[in-house]
Amino acid sequence: CMTSCSESQEPECALIKGDLVVPQAHYLHGRYSEEFMKKLWDKMEDTMGDSVSVNMNAERRFFHCEEIAAMVLEGVKHLGVTRILPELRFIRYPSGGYIAPHHDGVKFDPVTQRQTTTSFLLYLTTCQEGGATQFLASLKDRDNVLMSVQPRAGSILVFPHATAHKGDCVDSEPKYLLRGEGY
């Protein structure tokens, strides 16, 4: 794995390594309280899951919550994000879980009539080994990893939908995260 900024003690970190840059991608630490993180765990435990997906080995738990979306927004609005859609999902990657290289899809916000531009991953667990989110040069060049971000509980990764990325195979401990979209 390449060096990432996950070990940075800074509350914010643009993803830069030498001359390689992942434009408009940010890995933010310390933005969410322990109380909020507990609220997420409680919500996840109360949400039913499914594992039907063609590009991932994981369980997804879809839900709608304006309150959680607003709380996520508080931690990222300084980046210029103005809305987080309330259609959210928890994702649980078991040992051996992954997501194949892809771009995130755009969603339509029926409230504002706007399309989303930004994805976020709010990590609920820390992965010591495996489970990194890896930014790629392109989907055609899937082995050219520009940056690898190791999940850290309570930290949020924010990036444009069009950024090619994949989820590295999870080692022995499951990886949990909250996933959503905004603009």
PDB file of all heavy atoms in Angstrom, residues 1 4 6 27 93-99 123 125-134 148-152 166-176:
ATOM      1  N   CYS A   1       0.837  -1.190   0.000  1.00  0.00           N
ATOM      2  CA  CYS A   1       0.000   0.000   0.000  1.00  0.00           C
ATOM      3  C   CYS A   1       0.875   1.245   0.000  1.00  0.00           C
ATOM      4  O   CYS A   1       1.942   1.255   0.574  1.00  0.00           O
ATOM      5  CB  CYS A   1      -0.889   0.031   1.227  1.00  0.00           C
ATOM      6  SG  CYS A   1      -2.146  -1.241   1.228  1.00  0.00           S
ATOM      7  N   SER A   4      -0.612   6.960   3.032  1.00  0.00           N
ATOM      8  CA  SER A   4      -1.813   7.791   3.000  1.00  0.00           C
ATOM      9  C   SER A   4      -1.727   8.809   4.111  1.00  0.00           C
ATOM     10  O   SER A   4      -0.801   8.805   4.907  1.00  0.00           O
ATOM     11  CB  SER A   4      -3.067   6.925   3.176  1.00  0.00           C
ATOM     12  OG  SER A   4      -3.206   6.551   4.523  1.00  0.00           O
ATOM     13  N   SER A   6      -3.879   8.956   6.503  1.00  0.00           N
ATOM     14  CA  SER A   6      -4.738   8.496   7.594  1.00  0.00           C
ATOM     15  C   SER A   6      -4.062   8.615   8.953  1.00  0.00           C
ATOM     16  O   SER A   6      -4.731   8.675   9.963  1.00  0.00           O
ATOM     17  CB  SER A   6      -5.192   7.059   7.364  1.00  0.00           C
ATOM     18  OG  SER A   6      -4.093   6.183   7.394  1.00  0.00           O
ATOM     19  N   TYR A  27      -9.667  13.712   3.457  1.00  0.00           N
ATOM     20  CA  TYR A  27      -9.841  12.740   4.546  1.00  0.00           C
ATOM     21  C   TYR A  27      -9.789  13.547   5.836  1.00  0.00           C
ATOM     22  O   TYR A  27      -8.750  14.095   6.193  1.00  0.00           O
ATOM     23  CB  TYR A  27      -8.740  11.705   4.487  1.00  0.00           C
ATOM     24  CG  TYR A  27      -8.993  10.473   5.310  1.00  0.00           C
ATOM     25  CD1 TYR A  27     -10.258  10.062   5.681  1.00  0.00           C
ATOM     26  CD2 TYR A  27      -7.922   9.685   5.719  1.00  0.00           C
ATOM     27  CE1 TYR A  27     -10.476   8.921   6.419  1.00  0.00           C
ATOM     28  CE2 TYR A  27      -8.119   8.538   6.465  1.00  0.00           C
ATOM     29  CZ  TYR A  27      -9.408   8.166   6.815  1.00  0.00           C
ATOM     30  OH  TYR A  27      -9.614   7.030   7.562  1.00  0.00           O
ATOM     31  N   TYR A  93     -18.384  -4.745   5.372  1.00  0.00           N
ATOM     32  CA  TYR A  93     -17.510  -5.620   4.595  1.00  0.00           C
ATOM     33  C   TYR A  93     -16.987  -6.696   5.546  1.00  0.00           C
ATOM     34  O   TYR A  93     -16.260  -6.376   6.485  1.00  0.00           O
ATOM     35  CB  TYR A  93     -16.332  -4.842   4.022  1.00  0.00           C
ATOM     36  CG  TYR A  93     -16.715  -3.820   2.978  1.00  0.00           C
ATOM     37  CD1 TYR A  93     -17.027  -2.515   3.336  1.00  0.00           C
ATOM     38  CD2 TYR A  93     -16.749  -4.163   1.637  1.00  0.00           C
ATOM     39  CE1 TYR A  93     -17.370  -1.574   2.385  1.00  0.00           C
ATOM     40  CE2 TYR A  93     -17.087  -3.218   0.683  1.00  0.00           C
ATOM     41  CZ  TYR A  93     -17.391  -1.929   1.060  1.00  0.00           C
ATOM     42  OH  TYR A  93     -17.731  -1.002   0.108  1.00  0.00           O
ATOM     43  N   PRO A  94     -17.331  -7.963   5.324  1.00  0.00           N
ATOM     44  CA  PRO A  94     -16.825  -9.027   6.192  1.00  0.00           C
ATOM     45  C   PRO A  94     -15.357  -9.316   5.872  1.00  0.00           C
ATOM     46  O   PRO A  94     -14.797  -8.767   4.918  1.00  0.00           O
ATOM     47  CB  PRO A  94     -17.700 -10.218   5.816  1.00  0.00           C
ATOM     48  CG  PRO A  94     -18.003  -9.984   4.366  1.00  0.00           C
ATOM     49  CD  PRO A  94     -18.145  -8.485   4.224  1.00  0.00           C
ATOM     50  N   SER A  95     -14.749 -10.180   6.630  1.00  0.00           N
ATOM     51  CA  SER A  95     -13.405 -10.641   6.295  1.00  0.00           C
ATOM     52  C   SER A  95     -13.450 -11.163   4.858  1.00  0.00           C
ATOM     53  O   SER A  95     -14.312 -11.954   4.504  1.00  0.00           O
ATOM     54  CB  SER A  95     -12.985 -11.751   7.261  1.00  0.00           C
ATOM     55  OG  SER A  95     -11.718 -12.222   6.924  1.00  0.00           O
ATOM     56  N   GLY A  96     -12.563 -10.696   4.002  1.00  0.00           N
ATOM     57  CA  GLY A  96     -12.572 -11.058   2.586  1.00  0.00           C
ATOM     58  C   GLY A  96     -13.449 -10.156   1.738  1.00  0.00           C
ATOM     59  O   GLY A  96     -13.467 -10.267   0.514  1.00  0.00           O
ATOM     60  N   GLY A  97     -14.192  -9.226   2.365  1.00  0.00           N
ATOM     61  CA  GLY A  97     -15.064  -8.311   1.630  1.00  0.00           C
ATOM     62  C   GLY A  97     -14.276  -7.270   0.853  1.00  0.00           C
ATOM     63  O   GLY A  97     -13.152  -6.924   1.197  1.00  0.00           O
ATOM     64  N   TYR A  98     -14.888  -6.754  -0.207  1.00  0.00           N
ATOM     65  CA  TYR A  98     -14.244  -5.777  -1.090  1.00  0.00           C
ATOM     66  C   TYR A  98     -15.312  -5.098  -1.937  1.00  0.00           C
ATOM     67  O   TYR A  98     -16.469  -5.526  -1.966  1.00  0.00           O
ATOM     68  CB  TYR A  98     -13.247  -6.469  -2.031  1.00  0.00           C
ATOM     69  CG  TYR A  98     -13.957  -7.365  -3.015  1.00  0.00           C
ATOM     70  CD1 TYR A  98     -14.365  -6.888  -4.256  1.00  0.00           C
ATOM     71  CD2 TYR A  98     -14.291  -8.674  -2.678  1.00  0.00           C
ATOM     72  CE1 TYR A  98     -15.076  -7.710  -5.133  1.00  0.00           C
ATOM     73  CE2 TYR A  98     -14.987  -9.486  -3.546  1.00  0.00           C
ATOM     74  CZ  TYR A  98     -15.376  -8.997  -4.770  1.00  0.00           C
ATOM     75  OH  TYR A  98     -16.094  -9.796  -5.624  1.00  0.00           O
ATOM     76  N   ILE A  99     -14.902  -4.066  -2.669  1.00  0.00           N
ATOM     77  CA  ILE A  99     -15.716  -3.521  -3.750  1.00  0.00           C
ATOM     78  C   ILE A  99     -14.793  -3.312  -4.939  1.00  0.00           C
ATOM     79  O   ILE A  99     -13.677  -2.787  -4.809  1.00  0.00           O
ATOM     80  CB  ILE A  99     -16.471  -2.230  -3.349  1.00  0.00           C
ATOM     81  CG1 ILE A  99     -17.404  -1.791  -4.480  1.00  0.00           C
ATOM     82  CG2 ILE A  99     -15.525  -1.128  -2.938  1.00  0.00           C
ATOM     83  CD1 ILE A  99     -18.456  -0.776  -4.069  1.00  0.00           C
ATOM     84  N   TYR A 123     -16.220   6.339   8.224  1.00  0.00           N
ATOM     85  CA  TYR A 123     -15.786   5.050   8.761  1.00  0.00           C
ATOM     86  C   TYR A 123     -16.239   4.867  10.205  1.00  0.00           C
ATOM     87  O   TYR A 123     -16.025   5.739  11.044  1.00  0.00           O
ATOM     88  CB  TYR A 123     -14.265   4.914   8.661  1.00  0.00           C
ATOM     89  CG  TYR A 123     -13.768   4.937   7.242  1.00  0.00           C
ATOM     90  CD1 TYR A 123     -13.068   6.030   6.753  1.00  0.00           C
ATOM     91  CD2 TYR A 123     -14.010   3.871   6.385  1.00  0.00           C
ATOM     92  CE1 TYR A 123     -12.606   6.056   5.439  1.00  0.00           C
ATOM     93  CE2 TYR A 123     -13.562   3.887   5.072  1.00  0.00           C
ATOM     94  CZ  TYR A 123     -12.864   4.981   4.606  1.00  0.00           C
ATOM     95  OH  TYR A 123     -12.424   5.001   3.314  1.00  0.00           O
ATOM     96  N   THR A 125     -15.357   1.927  11.803  1.00  0.00           N
ATOM     97  CA  THR A 125     -14.313   1.087  12.387  1.00  0.00           C
ATOM     98  C   THR A 125     -12.955   1.474  11.816  1.00  0.00           C
ATOM     99  O   THR A 125     -12.866   2.083  10.745  1.00  0.00           O
ATOM    100  CB  THR A 125     -14.565  -0.412  12.104  1.00  0.00           C
ATOM    101  OG1 THR A 125     -14.720  -0.595  10.692  1.00  0.00           O
ATOM    102  CG2 THR A 125     -15.786  -0.925  12.835  1.00  0.00           C
ATOM    103  N   THR A 126     -11.926   1.077  12.522  1.00  0.00           N
ATOM    104  CA  THR A 126     -10.550   1.247  12.058  1.00  0.00           C
ATOM    105  C   THR A 126     -10.059  -0.093  11.532  1.00  0.00           C
ATOM    106  O   THR A 126     -10.282  -1.119  12.179  1.00  0.00           O
ATOM    107  CB  THR A 126      -9.646   1.704  13.229  1.00  0.00           C
ATOM    108  OG1 THR A 126     -10.116   2.977  13.688  1.00  0.00           O
ATOM    109  CG2 THR A 126      -8.185   1.795  12.813  1.00  0.00           C
ATOM    110  N   CYS A 127      -9.438  -0.077  10.377  1.00  0.00           N
ATOM    111  CA  CYS A 127      -8.832  -1.294   9.821  1.00  0.00           C
ATOM    112  C   CYS A 127      -7.323  -1.166   9.933  1.00  0.00           C
ATOM    113  O   CYS A 127      -6.728  -0.281   9.323  1.00  0.00           O
ATOM    114  CB  CYS A 127      -9.221  -1.484   8.351  1.00  0.00           C
ATOM    115  SG  CYS A 127     -10.958  -1.827   8.089  1.00  0.00           S
ATOM    116  N   GLN A 128      -6.717  -2.036  10.727  1.00  0.00           N
ATOM    117  CA  GLN A 128      -5.261  -2.024  10.868  1.00  0.00           C
ATOM    118  C   GLN A 128      -4.586  -2.596   9.621  1.00  0.00           C
ATOM    119  O   GLN A 128      -3.536  -2.142   9.209  1.00  0.00           O
ATOM    120  CB  GLN A 128      -4.838  -2.823  12.105  1.00  0.00           C
ATOM    121  CG  GLN A 128      -5.395  -2.280  13.402  1.00  0.00           C
ATOM    122  CD  GLN A 128      -4.946  -0.861  13.708  1.00  0.00           C
ATOM    123  OE1 GLN A 128      -3.868  -0.431  13.330  1.00  0.00           O
ATOM    124  NE2 GLN A 128      -5.796  -0.127  14.390  1.00  0.00           N
ATOM    125  N   GLU A 129      -5.202  -3.610   9.038  1.00  0.00           N
ATOM    126  CA  GLU A 129      -4.684  -4.279   7.846  1.00  0.00           C
ATOM    127  C   GLU A 129      -5.822  -4.451   6.852  1.00  0.00           C
ATOM    128  O   GLU A 129      -6.919  -4.847   7.226  1.00  0.00           O
ATOM    129  CB  GLU A 129      -4.120  -5.660   8.202  1.00  0.00           C
ATOM    130  CG  GLU A 129      -2.953  -5.644   9.150  1.00  0.00           C
ATOM    131  CD  GLU A 129      -1.676  -5.153   8.494  1.00  0.00           C
ATOM    132  OE1 GLU A 129      -1.509  -5.383   7.285  1.00  0.00           O
ATOM    133  OE2 GLU A 129      -0.854  -4.551   9.191  1.00  0.00           O
ATOM    134  N   GLY A 130      -5.562  -4.189   5.586  1.00  0.00           N
ATOM    135  CA  GLY A 130      -6.581  -4.373   4.551  1.00  0.00           C
ATOM    136  C   GLY A 130      -7.713  -3.376   4.692  1.00  0.00           C
ATOM    137  O   GLY A 130      -7.736  -2.542   5.591  1.00  0.00           O
ATOM    138  N   GLY A 131      -8.660  -3.436   3.757  1.00  0.00           N
ATOM    139  CA  GLY A 131      -9.851  -2.604   3.812  1.00  0.00           C
ATOM    140  C   GLY A 131      -9.675  -1.172   3.360  1.00  0.00           C
ATOM    141  O   GLY A 131     -10.588  -0.360   3.504  1.00  0.00           O
ATOM    142  N   ALA A 132      -8.516  -0.826   2.806  1.00  0.00           N
ATOM    143  CA  ALA A 132      -8.270   0.556   2.388  1.00  0.00           C
ATOM    144  C   ALA A 132      -9.150   0.930   1.198  1.00  0.00           C
ATOM    145  O   ALA A 132      -9.492   0.089   0.369  1.00  0.00           O
ATOM    146  CB  ALA A 132      -6.802   0.747   2.022  1.00  0.00           C
ATOM    147  N   THR A 133      -9.518   2.209   1.128  1.00  0.00           N
ATOM    148  CA  THR A 133     -10.130   2.763  -0.070  1.00  0.00           C
ATOM    149  C   THR A 133      -8.975   3.226  -0.944  1.00  0.00           C
ATOM    150  O   THR A 133      -8.143   4.024  -0.503  1.00  0.00           O
ATOM    151  CB  THR A 133     -11.064   3.936   0.266  1.00  0.00           C
ATOM    152  OG1 THR A 133     -12.101   3.455   1.142  1.00  0.00           O
ATOM    153  CG2 THR A 133     -11.671   4.531  -0.989  1.00  0.00           C
ATOM    154  N   GLN A 134      -8.916   2.697  -2.157  1.00  0.00           N
ATOM    155  CA  GLN A 134      -7.794   2.996  -3.041  1.00  0.00           C
ATOM    156  C   GLN A 134      -8.268   3.816  -4.237  1.00  0.00           C
ATOM    157  O   GLN A 134      -9.157   3.385  -4.976  1.00  0.00           O
ATOM    158  CB  GLN A 134      -7.135   1.705  -3.511  1.00  0.00           C
ATOM    159  CG  GLN A 134      -6.537   0.924  -2.361  1.00  0.00           C
ATOM    160  CD  GLN A 134      -5.864  -0.358  -2.800  1.00  0.00           C
ATOM    161  OE1 GLN A 134      -6.260  -0.988  -3.772  1.00  0.00           O
ATOM    162  NE2 GLN A 134      -4.834  -0.741  -2.071  1.00  0.00           N
ATOM    163  N   SER A 148      -3.889   5.338  -1.201  1.00  0.00           N
ATOM    164  CA  SER A 148      -4.593   4.340  -0.415  1.00  0.00           C
ATOM    165  C   SER A 148      -4.928   4.958   0.940  1.00  0.00           C
ATOM    166  O   SER A 148      -4.044   5.457   1.631  1.00  0.00           O
ATOM    167  CB  SER A 148      -3.696   3.111  -0.237  1.00  0.00           C
ATOM    168  OG  SER A 148      -4.390   2.077   0.393  1.00  0.00           O
ATOM    169  N   VAL A 149      -6.219   4.943   1.305  1.00  0.00           N
ATOM    170  CA  VAL A 149      -6.676   5.555   2.549  1.00  0.00           C
ATOM    171  C   VAL A 149      -7.137   4.457   3.491  1.00  0.00           C
ATOM    172  O   VAL A 149      -8.089   3.736   3.203  1.00  0.00           O
ATOM    173  CB  VAL A 149      -7.827   6.549   2.270  1.00  0.00           C
ATOM    174  CG1 VAL A 149      -8.363   7.112   3.570  1.00  0.00           C
ATOM    175  CG2 VAL A 149      -7.356   7.653   1.338  1.00  0.00           C
ATOM    176  N   GLN A 150      -6.446   4.317   4.603  1.00  0.00           N
ATOM    177  CA  GLN A 150      -6.770   3.292   5.587  1.00  0.00           C
ATOM    178  C   GLN A 150      -7.917   3.781   6.479  1.00  0.00           C
ATOM    179  O   GLN A 150      -7.834   4.874   7.033  1.00  0.00           O
ATOM    180  CB  GLN A 150      -5.535   2.975   6.436  1.00  0.00           C
ATOM    181  CG  GLN A 150      -5.551   1.628   7.077  1.00  0.00           C
ATOM    182  CD  GLN A 150      -5.576   0.491   6.069  1.00  0.00           C
ATOM    183  OE1 GLN A 150      -4.981   0.549   5.004  1.00  0.00           O
ATOM    184  NE2 GLN A 150      -6.305  -0.565   6.396  1.00  0.00           N
ATOM    185  N   PRO A 151      -9.005   3.004   6.621  1.00  0.00           N
ATOM    186  CA  PRO A 151     -10.143   3.438   7.438  1.00  0.00           C
ATOM    187  C   PRO A 151      -9.769   3.669   8.897  1.00  0.00           C
ATOM    188  O   PRO A 151      -9.045   2.877   9.493  1.00  0.00           O
ATOM    189  CB  PRO A 151     -11.120   2.260   7.332  1.00  0.00           C
ATOM    190  CG  PRO A 151     -10.755   1.585   6.058  1.00  0.00           C
ATOM    191  CD  PRO A 151      -9.268   1.728   5.952  1.00  0.00           C
ATOM    192  N   ARG A 152     -10.275   4.767   9.425  1.00  0.00           N
ATOM    193  CA  ARG A 152     -10.073   5.119  10.820  1.00  0.00           C
ATOM    194  C   ARG A 152     -11.425   5.546  11.398  1.00  0.00           C
ATOM    195  O   ARG A 152     -12.074   6.456  10.864  1.00  0.00           O
ATOM    196  CB  ARG A 152      -9.055   6.252  10.917  1.00  0.00           C
ATOM    197  CG  ARG A 152      -8.668   6.599  12.325  1.00  0.00           C
ATOM    198  CD  ARG A 152      -7.406   7.429  12.300  1.00  0.00           C
ATOM    199  NE  ARG A 152      -7.690   8.770  12.765  1.00  0.00           N
ATOM    200  CZ  ARG A 152      -6.821   9.753  12.737  1.00  0.00           C
ATOM    201  NH1 ARG A 152      -5.614   9.567  12.224  1.00  0.00           N
ATOM    202  NH2 ARG A 152      -7.134  10.931  13.192  1.00  0.00           N
ATOM    203  N   LYS A 166     -11.564   1.804  -5.519  1.00  0.00           N
ATOM    204  CA  LYS A 166     -11.989   0.457  -5.153  1.00  0.00           C
ATOM    205  C   LYS A 166     -11.783   0.278  -3.661  1.00  0.00           C
ATOM    206  O   LYS A 166     -11.074   1.051  -3.015  1.00  0.00           O
ATOM    207  CB  LYS A 166     -11.213  -0.607  -5.926  1.00  0.00           C
ATOM    208  CG  LYS A 166      -9.727  -0.663  -5.593  1.00  0.00           C
ATOM    209  CD  LYS A 166      -9.013  -1.722  -6.418  1.00  0.00           C
ATOM    210  CE  LYS A 166      -7.520  -1.752  -6.116  1.00  0.00           C
ATOM    211  NZ  LYS A 166      -6.829  -2.794  -6.890  1.00  0.00           N
ATOM    212  N   GLY A 167     -12.426  -0.746  -3.110  1.00  0.00           N
ATOM    213  CA  GLY A 167     -12.239  -1.086  -1.710  1.00  0.00           C
ATOM    214  C   GLY A 167     -11.384  -2.333  -1.622  1.00  0.00           C
ATOM    215  O   GLY A 167     -11.775  -3.401  -2.092  1.00  0.00           O
ATOM    216  N   ASP A 168     -10.201  -2.193  -1.048  1.00  0.00           N
ATOM    217  CA  ASP A 168      -9.259  -3.297  -0.898  1.00  0.00           C
ATOM    218  C   ASP A 168      -9.872  -4.389  -0.016  1.00  0.00           C
ATOM    219  O   ASP A 168     -10.695  -4.129   0.853  1.00  0.00           O
ATOM    220  CB  ASP A 168      -7.972  -2.763  -0.261  1.00  0.00           C
ATOM    221  CG  ASP A 168      -6.821  -3.739  -0.337  1.00  0.00           C
ATOM    222  OD1 ASP A 168      -6.820  -4.613  -1.216  1.00  0.00           O
ATOM    223  OD2 ASP A 168      -5.898  -3.600   0.505  1.00  0.00           O
ATOM    224  N   CYS A 169      -9.433  -5.609  -0.236  1.00  0.00           N
ATOM    225  CA  CYS A 169      -9.923  -6.764   0.512  1.00  0.00           C
ATOM    226  C   CYS A 169      -9.711  -6.558   2.020  1.00  0.00           C
ATOM    227  O   CYS A 169      -8.622  -6.186   2.454  1.00  0.00           O
ATOM    228  CB  CYS A 169      -9.200  -8.014   0.028  1.00  0.00           C
ATOM    229  SG  CYS A 169      -9.855  -9.532   0.714  1.00  0.00           S
ATOM    230  N   VAL A 170     -10.778  -6.791   2.779  1.00  0.00           N
ATOM    231  CA  VAL A 170     -10.735  -6.642   4.238  1.00  0.00           C
ATOM    232  C   VAL A 170     -10.059  -7.860   4.850  1.00  0.00           C
ATOM    233  O   VAL A 170     -10.341  -8.988   4.453  1.00  0.00           O
ATOM    234  CB  VAL A 170     -12.168  -6.468   4.791  1.00  0.00           C
ATOM    235  CG1 VAL A 170     -12.176  -6.476   6.306  1.00  0.00           C
ATOM    236  CG2 VAL A 170     -12.794  -5.197   4.234  1.00  0.00           C
ATOM    237  N   ASP A 171      -9.189  -7.622   5.823  1.00  0.00           N
ATOM    238  CA  ASP A 171      -8.519  -8.718   6.530  1.00  0.00           C
ATOM    239  C   ASP A 171      -9.470  -9.378   7.517  1.00  0.00           C
ATOM    240  O   ASP A 171     -10.619  -9.576   7.228  1.00  0.00           O
ATOM    241  CB  ASP A 171      -7.268  -8.197   7.248  1.00  0.00           C
ATOM    242  CG  ASP A 171      -5.992  -8.457   6.456  1.00  0.00           C
ATOM    243  OD1 ASP A 171      -6.074  -8.991   5.351  1.00  0.00           O
ATOM    244  OD2 ASP A 171      -4.916  -8.107   6.972  1.00  0.00           O
ATOM    245  N   SER A 172      -9.006  -9.666   8.689  1.00  0.00           N
ATOM    246  CA  SER A 172      -9.775 -10.464   9.655  1.00  0.00           C
ATOM    247  C   SER A 172     -10.925  -9.720  10.321  1.00  0.00           C
ATOM    248  O   SER A 172     -11.936 -10.315  10.657  1.00  0.00           O
ATOM    249  CB  SER A 172      -8.837 -11.026  10.720  1.00  0.00           C
ATOM    250  OG  SER A 172      -8.158  -9.971  11.368  1.00  0.00           O
ATOM    251  N   GLU A 173     -10.796  -8.420  10.544  1.00  0.00           N
ATOM    252  CA  GLU A 173     -11.845  -7.642  11.208  1.00  0.00           C
ATOM    253  C   GLU A 173     -12.770  -7.007  10.174  1.00  0.00           C
ATOM    254  O   GLU A 173     -12.302  -6.413   9.216  1.00  0.00           O
ATOM    255  CB  GLU A 173     -11.223  -6.541  12.068  1.00  0.00           C
ATOM    256  CG  GLU A 173     -10.402  -7.068  13.214  1.00  0.00           C
ATOM    257  CD  GLU A 173     -11.238  -7.819  14.247  1.00  0.00           C
ATOM    258  OE1 GLU A 173     -12.343  -7.358  14.568  1.00  0.00           O
ATOM    259  OE2 GLU A 173     -10.766  -8.867  14.713  1.00  0.00           O
ATOM    260  N   PRO A 174     -14.095  -7.079  10.367  1.00  0.00           N
ATOM    261  CA  PRO A 174     -15.023  -6.447   9.423  1.00  0.00           C
ATOM    262  C   PRO A 174     -14.835  -4.928   9.380  1.00  0.00           C
ATOM    263  O   PRO A 174     -14.399  -4.313  10.351  1.00  0.00           O
ATOM    264  CB  PRO A 174     -16.404  -6.786   9.984  1.00  0.00           C
ATOM    265  CG  PRO A 174     -16.196  -7.903  10.928  1.00  0.00           C
ATOM    266  CD  PRO A 174     -14.794  -7.784  11.436  1.00  0.00           C
ATOM    267  N   LYS A 175     -15.166  -4.345   8.239  1.00  0.00           N
ATOM    268  CA  LYS A 175     -15.125  -2.894   8.055  1.00  0.00           C
ATOM    269  C   LYS A 175     -16.565  -2.394   7.961  1.00  0.00           C
ATOM    270  O   LYS A 175     -17.362  -2.924   7.197  1.00  0.00           O
ATOM    271  CB  LYS A 175     -14.359  -2.540   6.781  1.00  0.00           C
ATOM    272  CG  LYS A 175     -14.367  -1.051   6.444  1.00  0.00           C
ATOM    273  CD  LYS A 175     -13.454  -0.721   5.274  1.00  0.00           C
ATOM    274  CE  LYS A 175     -14.127  -0.817   3.957  1.00  0.00           C
ATOM    275  NZ  LYS A 175     -13.318  -0.311   2.834  1.00  0.00           N
ATOM    276  N   TYR A 176     -16.898  -1.373   8.767  1.00  0.00           N
ATOM    277  CA  TYR A 176     -18.220  -0.763   8.755  1.00  0.00           C
ATOM    278  C   TYR A 176     -18.088   0.704   8.374  1.00  0.00           C
ATOM    279  O   TYR A 176     -17.168   1.388   8.833  1.00  0.00           O
ATOM    280  CB  TYR A 176     -18.860  -0.828  10.143  1.00  0.00           C
ATOM    281  CG  TYR A 176     -19.237  -2.197  10.607  1.00  0.00           C
ATOM    282  CD1 TYR A 176     -18.319  -3.014  11.263  1.00  0.00           C
ATOM    283  CD2 TYR A 176     -20.531  -2.687  10.416  1.00  0.00           C
ATOM    284  CE1 TYR A 176     -18.673  -4.271  11.708  1.00  0.00           C
ATOM    285  CE2 TYR A 176     -20.896  -3.951  10.861  1.00  0.00           C
ATOM    286  CZ  TYR A 176     -19.957  -4.741  11.505  1.00  0.00           C
ATOM    287  OH  TYR A 176     -20.313  -5.988  11.947  1.00  0.00           O
TER     288      TYR A 176
END
